[in-house]
Amino acid sequence: MAVGGAITSVLAWQIEAGADEAIAETPFDRLAVASARPRRSPEPAPEAARPTGRTASAPVAAGAGEAAAAATDLESLKAAFEAFDGCALKETATNFVFADGSPNARLMFIGEAPGAEEDRQGLPFVGPAGRLLDRMLAAIGLDRSEVYITNILPWRPPGNRNPTDSEIALCLPFIERHISLVDPAVLVAVGGTAAKALLDTREGIMRLRGRWFDYAVPGSDARIPLRAILHPAYLLRQPGGKRDAWTDMIAIKKRLAGPGTTG
Ligand code: URA
């Protein structure tokens, strides 16, 4: 193969693997990240009795908590979050991705972070994973206009890498306020990253899915039932997980139908 052809195929391989951004203009202290978020005991208390929520000592960017708390409605939260300069992902993302669907919905989905298509369009879950999420919603008789959809992070991590603990901790006050303003009847954490961030746990999605948690809304006594589901991007790679995803969607549907049904 000629040198030009070899270089082209290496580049194509990198793009295929998700390394499609030139990054790292901002230094990133991975040692600091390791100690960024204090964790609870790995052994969870019984789920019904276990209020969730971020521990008070998790790091928060200067102003993030104040800016989020000062927002009295979704418009002002969106403006405050978009203006927030504490997270370096903002530098590399094309668009700020806030939310989609109905703010009056009783069901709120929270994913991980925008992917390439979401970054292009400025809307969450509009790429291949989003199309599968739409089909999962249709399976329980809902469409996007009847639910509310957002992500833990509003900026795409370059090359679709996993968000770091520190990026999540920096943005968490905004998603917490987001939840409190939407005040859904049921919360759905889409995938392990969202579930771990919202439940403040290191447990994996395979242990978190299939059961109900009480999400403790920070700064209030409110509790919202939370279900973690397998991420549709995972299901696209591992269709065998669809049976579990289906079970969780049915449980969510039942929970929406009445507080007495647990699924
Ligand atoms: N994956 C997510 O978690 N969120 C999106 O918006 C798209 C893909």
Side-chain angles (χ1 to χ4, degrees), residues 53-235:
R54 190 166 47 94
T55 46
S57 51
V60 168
E66 291 82 350
T72 51
D73 55 28
L74 290 174
E75 275 311 299
S76 53
L77 182 72
K78 182 178 179 186
F81 204 174
E82 195 164 11
F84 175 63
D85 287 327
C87 178
L89 292 177
K90 185 177 181 178
E91 306 301 318
T92 47
T94 304
N95 273 305
F96 170 76
V97 178
F98 187 65
D100 196 17
S102 165
N104 301 317
R106 297 178 64 235
L107 186 55
M108 178 171 185
F109 287 82
I110 303 180
E112 176 178 316
E117 195 53 39
E118 289 77 17
D119 185 45
R120 261 190 290 278
Q121 294 192 36
L123 286 169
F125 283 102
V126 288
R131 285 191 284 281
L132 180 52
L133 182 62
D134 287 344
R135 295 212 300 278
M136 292 161 74
L137 288 173
I140 57 166
L142 294 171
D143 67 36
R144 195 172 265 262
S145 69
E146 297 168 291
V147 301
Y148 190 77
I149 305 176
T150 186
N151 282 308
I152 296 285
L153 294 175
W155 296 289
R156 179 195 184 208
N160 287 351
R161 66 159 168 76
N162 293 332
T164 65
D165 281 357
S166 133
E167 286 158 356
I168 290 171
L170 287 167
C171 294
L172 210 56
F174 290 101
I175 189 65
E176 289 172 349
R177 187 74 184 131
H178 208 155
I179 293 168
S180 145
L181 289 170
V182 174
D183 190 23
V186 173
L187 260 179
V188 180
V190 184
T193 300
K196 288 186 215 174
L198 295 173
L199 298 173
D200 193 18
T201 178
R202 289 274 184 203
E203 272 195 276
I205 184 66
M206 291 305 178
R207 288 183 54 124
L208 295 173
R209 65 145 299 276
R211 43 189 174 129
W212 286 102
F213 295 87
D214 274 337
Y215 176 79
V217 181
S220 89
D221 295 334
R223 298 277 187 277
I224 303 175
L226 181 150
R227 190 95 175 187
I229 64 171
L230 297 175
H231 198 291
Y234 168 82
L235 296 174

